[in-house]
Amino acid sequence: MTLSLTRPLPPHPWPTSTGVRGTTAPGFSSVRPLFERACRDAGRPGSQGAALAVVRDGELVVDLWQGTADPHSGTPWTGDTLQPVLTGSHGVLATAVLLLADMGALELDLPIAAYWPEFAVRGKGAVTLRDVLTFTARLPGMAADLDQRDIEDPHMMAALLELHSPEEDPRAQGVLHGPWTAGWIVAEVVRRVDGRELDLFFLEEIAGPLGLDVHFGLVPDQLPQAAHISYDADFHARFRALGGGADLFRRVWDNPSPFPADAGVWNQDRRRRAVVPSLGVYASARGLARLQGVLAADAVRAPGEEPLLLSRRTLDQARSFWVEGLDPLLGGVSAYGEGGLQLLDEGLHPSVRSGAFGHQGPGGVAYQAWPRVRAGAAWVHNRLTAGPGAGVLEEVAGAVAKALREA
């Protein structure tokens, strides 16, 4: 039996009149109206669903959800609903690599070819895992034409990447997020150094021991818990407008598109079962918040103190600034630490967000670790929007700051 490290709140569902369910700990009730407003902005409850969770010092202090997980079947959202994290999967992927580094199984600055000799061909002999995790390897996209079926086979994708050359387009060095290639490279390295596939390694070493609802792909029993995703009109229009027919954009974001015209691709059981390392993490808001809460607590432990997951030494290095830039394809500014964790600015609430890391990206799903207050937060919803979800967590950080001041 797996024991969760998070102490659940006693059952106390909110009244049915608002459609919001869940609980908040004493002092955190001001988060609820923020969540209600964010849900109203996201759309009608019957057409979408959302969840918000905050974990501090191992306690689930905010656990709210609302709406519909699958508008076709009418399945309501619950606290256990599993949302495809899509581009937000990268932070979870980096965490798996950092654990292997902590175990001494690999080093981020060694060439990938030290673990995967076939990777060295066509000018990739000096590429390191750090390059891949921080999107500075000049391997943001694929030259071979791929379809939606191809990307569900990580072994085939690894074989294709062996034959791939670094991009010659000078903009490739500044593409600080790509949807596919980093995941396939990491998954193959994990398999080579550990012997287990990425999904099994993550389950047995991280999700299982910590009691996290976070998974690389789903098993059949979990399929009914998966949220059904859709796009609002502005979301897909944004990606069409960004393309502009440019070859580099096509190779990175349209080969194949992570957000195909038919969102139903991500709602097929075949896709949900597949291991798609860079986009295929499924998680509940609770699971993501718990993972970030563990990392936030580990990041501020006394040197030498036993961690829950990652050592202070590894996290200090992983959060040390490595690269920042304006993505020439997507237009947003991204910054990464040495271990591939996305570094976040302190926003309007530095008492909470100073030193924050996590992930936020297209679609609105966002999760953050707040070491300053030993807390993790996650906001997920299944109707993807053009803007990031970081705005919701900025407001939540303000409510957390208020709760801690008044405690």
Side-chain angles (χ1 to χ4, degrees):
M1 178 182 294
T2 298
L3 297 178
S4 170
L5 295 175
T6 303
R7 297 187 295 275
L9 295 173
H12 182 65
W14 292 107
T16 58
S17 60
T18 65
V20 173
R21 298 289 186 274
T23 53
T24 57
F28 290 87
S29 60
S30 63
V31 176
R32 182 173 181 252
L34 300 178
F35 177 70
E36 290 176 328
R37 187 175 72 251
C39 290
R40 288 195 299 271
D41 293 344
R44 293 181 298 101
S47 66
Q48 57 82 38
L52 175 69
V54 180
V55 170
R56 182 172 185 267
D57 283 336
E59 180 181 357
L60 190 60
V61 295
V62 175
D63 185 28
L64 300 172
W65 61 90
Q66 179 260 6
T68 305
D70 186 342
H72 297 286
S73 66
T75 302
W77 200 287
T78 73
D80 297 319
T81 294
L82 298 171
Q83 165 72 18
V85 180
L86 301 179
T87 52
S89 300
H90 185 76
V92 182
L93 186 74
T95 301
V97 177
L98 291 171
L99 180 58
L100 277 171
D102 227 8
M103 292 174 169
L106 54 77
E107 295 181 27
L108 300 188
D109 286 322
L110 278 180
I112 289 171
Y115 312 109
W116 176 7
E118 299 89 342
F119 186 80
V121 303
R122 300 197 178 182
K124 302 191 299 298
V127 174
T128 68
L129 267 176
R130 195 181 310 284
D131 296 331
V132 170
L133 290 174
T134 58
F135 299 100
T136 55
R138 290 177 43 235
L139 293 166
M142 297 288 286
D145 288 334
L146 306 177
D147 61 30
Q148 294 290 343
R149 285 277 190 152
D150 292 332
I151 58 94
E152 296 171 3
D153 185 343
H155 294 170
M156 182 175 79
M157 293 298 98
L160 285 175
L161 277 162
E162 291 176 0
L163 305 177
H164 202 283
S165 303
E167 280 280 353
E168 295 182 358
D169 189 316
R171 294 175 300 164
Q173 188 68 29
V175 176
L176 293 184
H177 191 79
W180 305 115
T181 54
W184 294 322
I185 294 169
V186 166
E188 183 64 12
V189 171
V190 170
R191 188 176 73 86
R192 298 266 179 149
V193 303
D194 181 76
R196 286 172 286 184
E197 301 288 347
L198 173 66
D199 57 334
L200 184 60
F201 171 81
F202 189 85
L203 173 64
E204 294 184 342
E205 299 294 341
I206 299 178
L210 295 178
L212 305 178
D213 256 343
V214 182
H215 313 277
F216 282 95
L218 301 178
V219 299
D221 288 350
Q222 294 169 323
L223 295 176
Q225 295 173 245
H228 185 286
I229 68 167
S230 61
Y231 312 135
D232 70 13
D234 292 340
F235 176 78
H236 219 235
R238 174 177 183 260
F239 274 83
R240 286 197 302 270
L242 284 170
D247 287 343
L248 182 61
F249 186 96
R250 188 197 69 80
R251 291 193 293 274
V252 175
W253 285 100
D254 201 25
N255 187 33
S257 171
F259 309 112
D262 178 11
V265 169
W266 284 103
N267 300 317
Q268 296 171 354
D269 285 352
R270 188 194 78 244
R271 173 60 59 87
R272 291 168 171 165
R273 289 193 300 263
V275 176
V276 185
S278 273
L279 287 102
V281 168
Y282 287 77
S284 65
R286 292 170 182 164
L288 285 174
R290 286 171 175 170
L291 177 57
Q292 299 310 299
V294 166
L295 294 175
D298 282 348
V300 292
R301 293 190 189 283
E305 183 182 349
E306 185 70 20
L308 289 173
L309 182 59
L310 296 178
S311 69
R312 175 69 182 270
R313 173 185 53 82
T314 291
L315 275 170
D316 281 350
Q317 183 180 38
R319 297 190 300 132
S320 296
F321 175 82
W322 186 252
V323 65
E324 180 179 25
L326 178 68
D327 191 300
L329 302 184
L330 296 185
V333 175
S334 296
Y336 294 93
E338 293 184 24
L341 299 176
Q342 191 176 73
L343 307 179
L344 308 174
D345 63 50
E346 60 186 25
L348 300 175
H349 306 287
S351 64
V352 170
R353 285 175 48 113
S354 179
F357 58 93
H359 206 88
Q360 55 205 39
V365 172
Y367 55 86
Q368 298 179 2
W370 297 330
R372 185 78 176 265
V373 293
R374 303 178 307 282
W379 154 255
V380 302
H381 59 98
N382 60 344
R383 187 161 182 81
L384 306 189
T385 59
V392 175
L393 294 188
E394 176 71 54
E395 292 187 291
V396 172
V400 170
K402 180 175 182 291
L404 297 179
R405 284 196 305 269
E406 297 174 353

